[in-house]
Amino acid sequence: MSAHNDWKPTEVRPDGPERGAEGLRRALAAAGDFGDLLTRAKVVVFRDFQVGEQELDEVMDLLLPNRLAYTHGTSPRTKVAAGNVYTSTEYPSEQTIAMHNELSYSHKWPSRLLFYCATTPGSGGATPVVDGTLWLASLDEKVRDAFAGGIRYAQNLHDGFGLGRSWKQTFETEDRKQVEAFLDEGRFTWNWTSDGGLRMVSPVRPAWIRHPVTGEEVWFNQADHFHPAALGDDIARELAQILPPEELPQSVTLADGSPIPDEYVLHVHDRGLELAVDVDWKQGDLMVIDNVAVGHGRRPYTGDRRVLVAMSD
């Protein structure tokens, strides 16, 4: 697996005295078309521009042409500003967040993600990124064969009181008709439960896809995030031993409905983290990733790490 050492994010630094949004604007002008740069690099990190949080909206206008809401998101976040800016996933600081492509379990996903460091962590807290082509190539043949037919995700979303997220949090609305339209578009099987919750099962989703520009095949799913074997939360793992899969907040199977072996899920989980390149944070730094080409995660940290996220099509 040594090939992963040949890939790393591209770093852009100021080539003059200007900092902040104006310095970044000049650097982008010098770099040419940012879309082309991102496709080639897969991840672009902007170092030492010292962008202030009050300048973030201006910078995002340059890098994310159409910011999206976190519709159908499964992780806990807080919306912190107009223009669809969120906190990064609010899991306990001691936990590792495994590699994933944002919203890859859904029928709509962002093509770009922007990360901004508002507060430097005391220690740790890197955002690891992994080349999806290398991740796919690294998997044992028997694992790839098992996933070749695709996978199916299931979710149980409560109405405000229960395990996991509510459907109102997940879809950022209280309008059932709006949720139903989204699910119909994605060809989910769904029903409202007697207690006001929502049961939804996806159609078969692919385990890997082709990048829309480069044509490279990339690992692109979140089976390990829906599977109890790879959960970092002891309570969640214990819950999975008590409840049947159809009653869990989220679960996943192979396309034919058969269980995904624990060892396959852990193999995928571990290879992603092993191949990842860590991007460390300093206040004012930014990173933009191609959400199809690369997966991302989070290393444990101490201190008051605050990283904000926005998404774009």
Side-chain angles (χ1 to χ4, degrees):
M1 294 192 295
S2 60
H4 78 278
N5 294 322
D6 297 333
W7 178 82
K8 62 181 180 179
T10 293
E11 292 195 351
V12 177
R13 298 178 186 271
D15 58 2
E18 290 177 304
R19 298 293 187 268
E22 185 56 32
L24 195 145
R25 184 189 300 275
R26 287 181 174 274
L28 285 174
D33 185 274
F34 181 69
D36 290 343
L37 172 61
L38 185 61
T39 297
R40 295 193 306 272
K42 304 182 181 182
V43 176
V44 179
V45 183
F46 296 91
R47 297 282 194 199
D48 302 330
F49 285 92
Q50 301 170 8
V51 172
E53 191 168 341
Q54 73 279 3
E55 301 177 286
L56 186 55
D57 195 61
E58 180 182 354
V59 168
M60 289 191 299
D61 285 344
L62 299 173
L63 298 170
L64 298 185
N66 181 32
R67 295 194 291 281
L68 304 173
Y70 187 48
T71 303
H72 196 189
T74 60
S75 63
R77 302 178 188 270
T78 301
K79 197 169 189 175
V80 298
N84 295 321
V85 181
Y86 300 83
T87 60
S88 55
T89 300
E90 296 171 353
Y91 284 160
S93 61
E94 68 273 12
Q95 290 186 2
T96 295
I97 298 176
M99 310 310 295
H100 61 286
N101 304 78
E102 204 64 52
L103 293 166
S104 58
Y105 51 83
S106 191
H107 62 291
K108 288 185 173 181
W109 53 78
S111 61
R112 295 182 188 179
L113 305 181
L114 179 146
F115 299 81
Y116 167 76
C117 182
T119 304
T120 307
S123 65
T127 296
V129 288
V130 61
D131 185 319
T133 300
L134 297 175
W135 194 3
L136 174 60
S138 76
L139 301 177
D140 290 349
E141 184 177 359
K142 65 179 181 180
V143 174
R144 291 199 303 271
D145 288 347
F147 280 96
I151 53 184
R152 195 185 301 274
Y153 303 94
Q155 292 174 268
N156 291 301
L157 306 175
H158 58 78
D159 192 35
F161 299 96
L163 298 168
R165 288 166 64 82
S166 72
W167 63 265
K168 296 172 186 177
Q169 292 171 313
T170 297
F171 295 102
E172 294 193 357
T173 183
E174 296 188 6
D175 186 342
R176 287 192 177 201
K177 295 298 183 183
Q178 187 175 333
V179 174
E180 291 169 2
F182 180 91
L183 297 176
D184 286 342
E185 180 185 12
R187 299 183 180 180
F188 288 84
T189 300
W190 57 270
N191 65 277
W192 296 103
T193 60
S194 59
D195 60 358
L198 177 63
R199 166 73 174 173
M200 47 191 283
V201 180
S202 77
V204 174
R205 305 281 189 216
W208 59 84
I209 63 174
R210 288 192 179 275
H211 190 279
V213 178
T214 67
E216 293 181 326
E217 286 190 318
V218 294
W219 187 250
F220 192 80
N221 68 80
Q222 282 178 236
D224 58 328
H225 284 241
F226 276 64
H227 195 289
L231 295 177
D233 186 339
D234 290 338
I235 295 176
R237 286 197 297 267
E238 291 171 3
L239 186 66
Q241 295 174 356
I242 298 170
L243 294 176
E246 61 272 15
E247 295 182 19
L248 291 171
Q250 56 191 43
S251 58
V252 63
T253 67
L254 294 173
D256 62 2
S258 60
I260 303 175
D262 289 3
E263 61 269 27
Y264 288 8
V265 168
L266 293 172
H267 177 70
V268 169
H269 172 277
D270 293 347
R271 284 291 170 88
L273 287 169
E274 289 166 6
L275 289 164
V277 178
D278 285 354
V279 176
D280 294 311
W281 288 114
K282 184 172 68 174
Q283 186 175 15
D285 287 348
L286 299 105
M287 174 171 68
V288 180
I289 73 172
D290 182 322
N291 184 49
V292 176
V294 299
H296 67 280
R298 191 200 70 191
R299 303 293 186 185
Y301 67 95
T302 64
D304 297 324
R305 179 188 191 272
R306 184 167 181 261
V307 174
L308 304 181
V309 181
M311 311 173 195
S312 174
D313 60 9

